[in-house]
Amino acid sequence: TNVSVERIIDEIEKVFSYENNKPSIFFEYMRELGILKDYFPLLQKIVDDLSDKPPLPEFHPEGSTWEHIKKCLDISPNNSDIRWFCLTHDLGKLMTATEHREHPGYFRFVGHENYSDLVVEFFSNLKMPNSIISKCIFVMENHMKMLHEVSHKTLKRLAYEYGIENVLALIDFSIIDSSMNPNTRNGV
């Protein structure tokens, strides 16, 4: 590819800043043009490896991890950090897909939040600030905790360990992530 990583990131940041847009279109165009793999190989791997491994519809009615990521992007506010969270929070599903015993043809992704090394890999060639990488790691590692009722004690501990700004960002992202799951829409 002849387009620099810096140029791609600049364009993504522009797309992320527009109000009322669908950032997923940018990534879908990249996929259709065959360049998603060049800049975001882990996203291409999600398309390639997980498209035929749907989660149970009651957890992700979108039908696939790729569709879930795109939907998160499209319903998120025009906040760059939150949109990077959308792109990275489910990378661990690449490592954890197992067929559901009770529901053949559907897959579980237990423990996918434990693969934050994939966030580092995701950003390895993108020349992004360490601050966004750290936030994405924090969100990936903690987003599953937010799907259930979270105690004040847990929130205080997270705020003490990681800072209130990070916890507020996690809450904001979790509302987006869980809004597509009919079982947790009111849980965050």
Side-chain angles (χ1 to χ4, degrees):
T1 58
N2 295 329
V3 181
S4 72
V5 169
E6 292 86 356
R7 175 69 191 271
I8 292 291
I9 297 301
D10 285 346
E11 294 302 319
I12 289 170
E13 289 294 340
K14 286 179 194 173
V15 168
F16 282 179
S17 71
Y18 299 144
E19 287 197 46
N20 301 320
N21 70 341
K22 292 188 175 227
S24 68
I25 293 171
F26 183 87
F27 292 93
E28 197 56 38
Y29 281 150
M30 289 182 75
R31 187 190 65 75
E32 290 173 7
L33 292 169
I35 62 171
L36 185 66
K37 67 183 181 316
D38 299 327
Y39 299 98
F40 299 99
L42 290 175
L43 292 180
Q44 184 65 55
K45 196 164 173 53
I46 284 173
V47 171
D48 294 342
D49 296 356
L50 298 182
S51 290
D52 62 346
K53 294 180 173 76
L56 285 170
E58 59 255 32
F59 296 112
H60 284 299
E62 309 88 15
S64 73
T65 301
W66 178 237
E67 291 302 319
H68 171 69
I69 289 169
K70 292 190 316 180
K71 183 75 170 176
C72 280
L73 280 170
D74 290 347
I75 67 170
S76 65
N78 61 325
N79 176 304
S80 181
D81 286 359
I82 288 179
R83 289 182 166 171
W84 286 113
F85 303 158
C86 292
L87 288 172
T88 58
H89 78 285
D90 278 344
L91 292 172
K93 289 184 177 183
L94 287 164
M95 309 303 288
T96 59
T98 56
E99 191 162 14
H100 204 293
R101 275 184 261 157
E102 292 84 30
H103 304 281
Y106 291 101
F107 288 76
R108 300 179 65 187
F109 305 93
V110 176
H112 72 278
E113 68 276 13
N114 298 322
Y115 289 87
S116 57
D117 56 317
L118 292 175
V119 173
V120 174
E121 182 180 338
F122 178 89
F123 286 111
S124 64
N125 295 319
L126 298 180
K127 302 176 183 173
M128 296 291 289
N130 286 337
S131 59
I132 188 61
I133 298 168
S134 296
K135 288 178 190 177
C136 286
I137 288 170
F138 171 73
V139 167
M140 179 194 224
E141 290 176 344
N142 292 286
H143 77 281
M144 294 303 291
K145 293 175 185 166
M146 305 304 288
L147 292 178
H148 310 287
E149 281 196 37
V150 180
S151 70
H152 284 77
K153 185 177 176 183
T154 299
L155 288 175
K156 279 183 172 179
R157 182 185 54 77
L158 287 171
Y160 180 76
E161 288 180 34
Y162 300 102
I164 190 68
E165 298 83 16
N166 286 331
V167 173
L168 292 173
L170 173 64
I171 292 168
D172 287 344
F173 168 75
S174 296
I175 291 168
I176 294 161
D177 188 36
S178 66
S179 70
M180 292 168 277
N181 179 338
N183 295 315
T184 60
R185 284 198 178 127
N186 299 320
V188 178

